Amino acid sequence: MTRRVTILAGAALAASLAGAAPEKAGQAPRGLDRAGQADRIFVGGRVWTGEPGQPLAEALAVRGTTVLAVGKSADVRRHSGKGTEVVDLRGRFVAPGFIDGHLHLLGGSLSLEELRLDDAETFPALTQRVRDWATANPDAHWVTGEGWTYAAFPDGLPSRLQLDAIVPLRPAFLVSYDGHTGWANSMALRLASVTRETKDPPGGEVVRDAKGEPTGVLKESAMELVGRLVPKPLPHEKERALRAGIAQAAAWGLTTVHQAGISEEEIEILSKALEAVPRLRVYAALDIERDPTPEVLARQDEIRRRFASDRLRVGAVKGYVDGVVEAKTAAMFEPYVGGGSGLPEWTQEELDRAVAAYDKAGWQVMLHAIGDRGIDMALTAFERAARANGTTGRRHRVEHIEVPRTADLPRFKAGGIIASTQAMFPYPNRNHLGVYVPTLGPERARRAMAFKAIDDAGAVQAFGSDWPVFTAEVVRGIACAVTRTTVEGTPAGGWEPSQRLTAEAALRHFTRDAAFAEHAEKEKGTLAPGKAADFVVLSQDLLAIPPERIKDTKVLLTVLGGQDTWRAKEF
Ligand SMILES: [Zn+2]
């Protein structure tokens, strides 16, 4: 059934590709006499096509929504005729449109206007940011925000008393940068009736002090105890945020994003926003259902049929096997430094059953798995489903793969399983070096975010951002994967430098491999005749400049299906 859906999506894309592009005023209608004539040609550049047979070119011709020709400037110029626009790239770098293999478009879009704590790396900076926001927003009933890092707190975790000191008279609830841990003040706990008597919900923890009192830290599913009280944005507010988020994504050079989990209500809103701002393609995963009964599968299949265009396509379901390292909720074979070995959210049997049901019904399954035990559980479920159902080519995906056992890496290639990693996850800031690495201990830290080892094991590795966990600015992601340093260049030489990638490998993971990860490598992800005219023009040649300069690269132009979706003033 995946094959059928793929063909449908391919057919939908082909149909839209065959359709005429909007004609420019004064231009003759397209006919046989114009066969082979481009609408626009871009010449005199350095084009990285992503095609193994012809990785480099100088020029690109576009007709309608697709690429007409790629090659030397003189050859591509032959496609120009009356009405063809010729753009001189003046040596600039062109790459296929960036594809973010894992993000949360609504969360990211909302984060553009929320209280953000990401770059407040110290406790004083963090408290000042919260205080400023509370002062500037006296009418907000709640003080809410996201992005604090564990390293900002002396104990690696915050407490309600610290938040009471900043926000005493209103409920406050602030979520960690990874979205897996909540920090509530006393009033928020009181409103939510979280007391020493409150039991830990399944898959979550109410952190308590030595006397058994809640500290204000709520891990994983326990976040909902308070989170459900926080005023939610209304549908029109979500749509407004999404329109801004889509425009921002185009400015970052993105032409496609993979939405890692979405509710049935939110996909309707996303669909409207994409119609209003048609500057992005979205490949969406619905939220996984723990018990995919025939009724559930029928309902989800209906959504899959409805959203099957090249602009918004549903093809996967996404679930969580475990949590995150810093909160010690990622599932590990061996205990963390200081104890605990994580919380798998399923038993292996439950996971096997759900994955097999989706596999049988033709779905691609995306499973968040960070700890070595969680990753093994996900791989095992995929392998068993393929065996039980006799299926191949589903391209199931493990999301994040932060701390795999080295011996498990060959299982990706063997099982045709996609390694979906996030280029900025090894970003060696205070949180990473001060909390993440010490929580793992040295042996596990050495095999964390092992991008090079994953490539060497022959896996298809698709890069994403996990926006809003990290920015979805792709050049920042490429810079991190290539240098493994912060933008300030620390630590010198990079963190675990043996796992650094070449710029070309990083580009490939953000283009061709990410297209493969959504069953769309025939339609996009590289620049070749007949493929979607999705590409970016960058200010610097990523393949030629020193790695430490990659981060300064500007996106000058983003083209999606032949149409400009972003153009910098300087282009
Ligand atoms: Zn995510």
Side-chain angles (χ1 to χ4, degrees), residues 13-22 30 63-65:
L13 182 57
S16 81
L17 298 180
R30 186 170 294 125
R63 176 175 165 120
T65 59

Short mmCIF file of all heavy atoms in Angstrom, two decimals, residues 13-22 30 63-65:
data_model
loop_
_atom_site.label_atom_id
_atom_site.label_comp_id
_atom_site.label_asym_id
_atom_site.label_seq_id
_atom_site.Cartn_x
_atom_site.Cartn_y
_atom_site.Cartn_z
N LEU A 13 2.05 14.63 -8.29
CA LEU A 13 3.15 15.53 -8.60
C LEU A 13 3.29 15.67 -10.12
O LEU A 13 3.36 16.77 -10.64
CB LEU A 13 4.44 15.01 -7.98
CG LEU A 13 5.69 15.87 -8.15
CD1 LEU A 13 5.45 17.27 -7.61
CD2 LEU A 13 6.87 15.24 -7.44
N ALA A 14 3.25 14.52 -10.80
CA ALA A 14 3.40 14.55 -12.25
C ALA A 14 2.30 15.41 -12.88
O ALA A 14 2.55 16.22 -13.77
CB ALA A 14 3.35 13.14 -12.82
N ALA A 15 1.07 15.26 -12.35
CA ALA A 15 -0.05 16.03 -12.89
C ALA A 15 0.21 17.52 -12.70
O ALA A 15 0.01 18.31 -13.62
CB ALA A 15 -1.34 15.61 -12.21
N SER A 16 0.69 17.88 -11.53
CA SER A 16 0.91 19.30 -11.28
C SER A 16 2.11 19.79 -12.08
O SER A 16 2.16 20.94 -12.49
CB SER A 16 1.09 19.56 -9.79
OG SER A 16 2.40 19.27 -9.40
N LEU A 17 3.07 18.89 -12.33
CA LEU A 17 4.23 19.28 -13.11
C LEU A 17 3.84 19.51 -14.57
O LEU A 17 4.33 20.40 -15.23
CB LEU A 17 5.32 18.20 -13.03
CG LEU A 17 5.87 17.91 -11.64
CD1 LEU A 17 6.94 16.82 -11.72
CD2 LEU A 17 6.44 19.14 -10.99
N ALA A 18 2.90 18.65 -15.06
CA ALA A 18 2.47 18.75 -16.46
C ALA A 18 1.66 20.02 -16.69
O ALA A 18 1.66 20.59 -17.77
CB ALA A 18 1.65 17.53 -16.84
N GLY A 19 0.96 20.47 -15.64
CA GLY A 19 0.13 21.66 -15.77
C GLY A 19 1.00 22.87 -16.09
O GLY A 19 2.13 22.98 -15.66
N ALA A 20 0.44 23.77 -16.89
CA ALA A 20 1.22 24.93 -17.30
C ALA A 20 1.54 25.81 -16.10
O ALA A 20 0.72 25.96 -15.20
CB ALA A 20 0.44 25.73 -18.33
N ALA A 21 2.73 26.36 -16.08
CA ALA A 21 3.07 27.35 -15.07
C ALA A 21 2.31 28.63 -15.41
O ALA A 21 1.91 28.81 -16.55
CB ALA A 21 4.56 27.62 -15.10
N PRO A 22 2.12 29.49 -14.41
CA PRO A 22 1.41 30.73 -14.71
C PRO A 22 2.14 31.49 -15.82
O PRO A 22 3.34 31.69 -15.74
CB PRO A 22 1.47 31.49 -13.38
CG PRO A 22 1.85 30.49 -12.33
CD PRO A 22 2.56 29.39 -13.03
N ARG A 30 2.21 28.60 -24.44
CA ARG A 30 3.18 27.56 -24.71
C ARG A 30 2.64 26.59 -25.74
O ARG A 30 1.49 26.17 -25.69
CB ARG A 30 3.47 26.84 -23.39
CG ARG A 30 4.55 25.83 -23.48
CD ARG A 30 4.92 25.36 -22.08
NE ARG A 30 5.53 26.45 -21.31
CZ ARG A 30 5.10 26.83 -20.14
NH1 ARG A 30 4.04 26.30 -19.61
NH2 ARG A 30 5.72 27.78 -19.50
N ARG A 63 11.54 25.15 -16.60
CA ARG A 63 10.35 25.36 -17.42
C ARG A 63 9.16 24.89 -16.59
O ARG A 63 9.13 23.75 -16.12
CB ARG A 63 10.45 24.55 -18.69
CG ARG A 63 9.20 24.65 -19.53
CD ARG A 63 9.45 23.91 -20.83
NE ARG A 63 8.21 23.67 -21.49
CZ ARG A 63 7.92 24.13 -22.71
NH1 ARG A 63 8.81 24.84 -23.35
NH2 ARG A 63 6.76 23.87 -23.25
N GLY A 64 8.19 25.76 -16.41
CA GLY A 64 7.05 25.40 -15.57
C GLY A 64 7.54 25.11 -14.16
O GLY A 64 8.29 25.91 -13.59
N THR A 65 7.16 23.97 -13.66
CA THR A 65 7.52 23.65 -12.28
C THR A 65 8.74 22.75 -12.17
O THR A 65 9.12 22.36 -11.08
CB THR A 65 6.34 22.95 -11.58
OG1 THR A 65 6.05 21.76 -12.33
CG2 THR A 65 5.11 23.83 -11.53
#
